[in-house]
Amino acid sequence: MDTIGFEPHDHSSCIHDCIAAVDTQCRTAGLQFTPVRRRVLEILLQEHRALGAYEILDRLREEGLGSQPPVAYRALDFLVKNGFAHKIERLNAFIACTHPGEHHAPVFLICRACDAVAESQREPTQGQLGQAARDAGFVIERAVIEAEGLCPKCQQAGAA
Amino acid sequence: MDTIGFEPHDHSSCIHDCIAAVDTQCRTAGLQFTPVRRRVLEILLQEHRALGAYEILDRLREEGLGSQPPVAYRALDFLVKNGFAHKIERLNAFIACTHPGEHHAPVFLICRACDAVAESQREPTQGQLGQAARDAGFVIERAVIEAEGLCPKCQQAGAA
DNA sequence: CGCCTCATGTAACTTTATAACATCACGCGG
DNA sequence: CCGCGTGATGTTATAAAGTTACATGAGGCG
C-alpha cells in the first residue's frame, strides 16, 4: 500500500515529472494534451490539494486561458477520465493524481483541518467492501473511498 | 456484514418500524422529532432510494409543509447528523438509514442502472483503508465509501 | 479542397446549497 | 403569570457547482 501526500517532498520536480509522465502517456495513447489541459494539471499539482472547479477557472481567467465554466470542466473531465486527476466527491473538488496512468483504485485521506489530501491505492473488490458486494450479488465497477480525519501534522498541532 | 437494499421486503412495515424506532430514539436522546423531520424521513423510506433535496422539497411543498430550500436541508441535516439518514456524496442525494441508531460506518452499493442503493456496514479503521491510514499516520474520523456498479436485478436485465 | 473529428469560446441556465434575519413554540426560573 | 433562552420554522436572497446548446477553430485525410 502506497501513500503519498503528507510527507514533505521536492515539489517542483514532482510537478515536472508528473507533467512529463502524462505527456508521454498522452502521446502513446493518442490523446491531446492541450495547453488548457496541461495548465489545469499544473495548477492542481502546484497546489497539491483539492481545488474547486471555479478556483481553477479563476486561475485560467487570470492567465487568459478561458473564462467560462465549461473550459474548466472540460479540462477536468479529460484529466479525470484518463486517470490524471481525481474528483473528491466529499469536497466537490479535484486533485492531481499521484500515480498517473497506473491501474486505478484510489483511496483518499482528507485532513479536515488543513485540507491536505493523500492518495493511496487499494483493490476495492477485495476486503470488506468486496465481501459486502459479493454478499449482495452486486458487481462493483467503481468505488469512491474518502476518509476524513486528521493528518499527522494537524494532530500534533492539537487541532482536536 | 449485513446488507439491505436489493431484496424484496415488506415495505409498509419497514417504514412503520423504522419511524417507530427513530421516534423512540429521539425521545430517549431528547431530540425533537418534529412533523417536517418525520415527514422527510417517511418520504425517504417510501422511496427507498436516494432522493435529491429538491425532490423532497417538492413533496413537502405539495403537502404544505414548507416550500423553501432551508426547510428540506434543515430536516435532512437533522436526520443525517443523528444517523437516521445518510448523504450519498456521489449523487448529491439522501437516503434513509436502514440501521437507525446503531453505531455507524455505512457503506453504499449504488446501482448505476436503476439507482437502487443498498446500505452495508463495515469498520473503516480496519481492512485496507485502515491500514493505509495507519501507514500515513492519519486518524480516520469518518469515511465515505460508495461503490458504483450493477445490482443483481440489472445484471440479469442485461444492462451491461 | 471538402469533410470529418475533436477541441475551444461563449451565453444562458439548472441544480445544489447556504446566509441572514424574522418569527414562533416551549420550558423554566423568578 | 411573565420574561427569557433555546431550538425549530418561515422567508428572502444569494452563493456555489455543474450543464446545455450552439458557434468557431485547428488538424488529419481522402
Side-chain angles (χ1 to χ4, degrees):
Chain A
M1 185 90 57
D2 175 24
T3 298
I4 300 185
F6 300 137
E7 309 83 20
H9 60 286
D10 179 344
H11 204 52
S12 67
S13 84
C14 113
I15 294 174
H16 180 268
D17 294 352
C18 186
I19 291 283
V22 170
D23 197 63
T24 303
Q25 281 192 245
C26 283
R27 274 176 222 284
T28 307
L31 299 170
Q32 299 185 43
F33 196 37
T34 63
V36 194
R37 293 169 178 180
R38 175 186 297 261
R39 193 67 196 106
V40 169
L41 183 56
E42 282 170 3
I43 291 168
L44 289 174
L45 286 164
Q46 273 160 18
E47 285 295 327
H48 221 299
R49 65 179 177 95
L51 288 175
Y54 281 71
E55 287 182 90
I56 292 166
L57 183 57
D58 288 344
R59 308 273 193 108
L60 293 179
R61 186 178 291 127
E62 286 165 14
E63 300 173 15
L65 266 175
S67 59
Q68 301 301 319
V71 173
Y73 280 103
R74 285 194 287 232
L76 288 166
D77 283 349
F78 170 87
L79 296 171
V80 169
K81 186 162 59 173
N82 295 290
F84 304 139
H86 300 290
K87 178 169 189 185
I88 308 291
E89 299 287 347
R90 174 89 183 100
L91 304 176
N92 292 324
F94 300 84
I95 191 161
C97 178
T98 51
H99 311 72
E102 293 169 33
H103 169 62
H104 255 93
V107 167
F108 300 100
L109 305 176
I110 308 168
C111 179
R112 67 166 161 78
C114 71
D115 278 341
V117 177
E119 178 180 347
S120 183
Q121 300 290 317
R122 58 168 270 142
E123 204 38 69
T125 56
Q126 296 173 3
Q128 298 179 64
L129 178 56
Q131 191 57 53
R134 275 188 296 280
D135 290 349
F138 187 88
V139 175
I140 296 178
E141 293 171 346
R142 203 177 100 74
V144 171
I145 303 182
E146 298 170 359
E148 198 175 318
L150 282 181
C151 74
K153 205 177 297 175
C154 292
Q155 288 167 48
Q156 289 181 355
Chain B
M1 183 90 58
D2 175 25
T3 297
I4 300 185
F6 299 138
E7 309 84 20
H9 61 287
D10 179 344
H11 204 50
S12 67
S13 85
C14 112
I15 294 174
H16 180 269
D17 293 353
C18 187
I19 292 283
V22 170
D23 197 63
T24 303
Q25 279 190 246
C26 284
R27 275 176 221 283
T28 307
L31 299 170
Q32 300 185 42
F33 195 35
T34 63
V36 194
R37 293 170 177 179
R38 174 185 296 261
R39 192 68 195 108
V40 169
L41 182 56
E42 282 171 1
I43 291 168
L44 288 174
L45 285 164
Q46 274 160 18
E47 284 296 324
H48 220 298
R49 66 181 177 94
L51 288 174
Y54 281 74
E55 288 182 89
I56 292 166
L57 183 57
D58 288 344
R59 308 274 193 108
L60 293 179
R61 187 177 291 127
E62 287 165 14
E63 300 173 16
L65 267 174
S67 60
Q68 299 304 318
V71 173
Y73 279 102
R74 286 195 286 233
L76 289 166
D77 283 350
F78 170 86
L79 295 172
V80 168
K81 187 163 57 173
N82 295 290
F84 305 139
H86 301 290
K87 179 170 187 184
I88 308 292
E89 299 288 346
R90 173 89 183 100
L91 304 176
N92 293 322
F94 300 83
I95 193 163
C97 178
T98 51
H99 311 72
E102 294 169 32
H103 170 62
H104 254 94
V107 166
F108 300 99
L109 306 176
I110 307 167
C111 179
R112 66 165 161 79
C114 71
D115 279 343
V117 177
E119 178 180 348
S120 183
Q121 301 291 318
R122 60 167 267 141
E123 203 37 69
T125 56
Q126 296 174 3
Q128 298 179 64
L129 179 55
Q131 192 57 53
R134 275 187 298 278
D135 291 350
F138 187 88
V139 175
I140 296 178
E141 293 172 346
R142 202 177 99 77
V144 171
I145 303 182
E146 299 171 358
E148 198 176 317
L150 282 180
C151 74
K153 206 177 295 176
C154 292
Q155 288 168 48
Q156 289 182 352

